[in-house]
C-alpha cells in the first residue's frame, strides 16, 4: 500500500514539464494553462482532477503565486524559472477570472 501511494505521488509530482513561452512570443495564458496545468487542474482549473479546483479558490494571490513558483513536494512541480514573475501574475489573474462554463 505504501509503495502504491509513493508511486502515485511520484507520478503527480512529475505531471507535466513546464513549457515556457518564447521570450519574444506572446504568452497565451489560457493555452499555457491548458498545456501545463490542465493535466492536474481539470476543465481549465474549474474542476478538481489530480489537483484541486482553482476556480473560487479561498487561497490568496500570494499563496497561489508561491505555490506556482515553489510547487508542493509530492503534489505539484515548481515552475520558478519556467515562467517569469509577470507570466505567473498572468496565471494568477487567469485563475481569479475563472467562471463556470455556460451551456
Amino acid at each position: 500500500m505504501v509503495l502504491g501511494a509513493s508511486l502515485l505521488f511520484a507520478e503527480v509530482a512529475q505531471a507535466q514539464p513546464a513549457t515556457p513561452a518564447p521570450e519574444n512570443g506572446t504568452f497565451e495564458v489560457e493555452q499555457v494553462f491548458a498545456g501545463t496545468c490542465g493535466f492536474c487542474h481539470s476543465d481549465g482549473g474549474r474542476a478538481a482532477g489530480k489537483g484541486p479546483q482553482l476556480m473560487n479558490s479561498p487561497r490568496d494571490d500570494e499563496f497561489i503565486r508561491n505555490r506556482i513558483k515553489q510547487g508542493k513536494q509530492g503534489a505539484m512541480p515548481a515552475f520558478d524559472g519556467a515562467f517569469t514573475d509577470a507570466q505567473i501574475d498572468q496565471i494568477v489573474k487567469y485563475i481569479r477570472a475563472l467562471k463556470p462554463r455556460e451551456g
Side-chain angles (χ1 to χ4, degrees):
M1 178 77 173
V2 173
L3 178 59
S6 296
L7 291 174
L8 174 63
F9 285 124
E11 176 184 318
V12 171
Q14 296 176 13
Q16 291 288 345
T19 307
E23 289 193 27
N24 295 333
T26 58
F27 185 75
E28 298 290 339
V29 68
E30 189 170 357
Q31 185 177 9
V32 169
F33 189 94
T36 304
C37 313
F39 181 78
C40 293
H41 302 284
S42 296
D43 193 19
R46 292 173 181 85
K50 293 178 192 234
Q53 172 182 313
L54 298 175
M55 182 176 66
N56 300 323
S57 175
R59 304 291 192 166
D60 65 26
D61 290 359
E62 193 61 27
F63 178 91
I64 295 170
R65 189 176 293 105
N66 286 332
R67 182 55 53 92
I68 293 167
K69 286 180 126 182
Q70 300 169 5
K72 180 179 179 184
Q73 187 174 356
M76 180 174 160
F79 292 98
D80 191 25
F83 300 120
T84 66
D85 286 345
Q87 290 169 333
I88 291 172
D89 287 343
Q90 287 181 0
I91 295 169
V92 172
K93 186 176 178 180
Y94 167 83
I95 290 168
R96 291 296 180 210
L98 287 171
K99 302 288 182 234
R101 293 194 191 275
E102 294 181 20

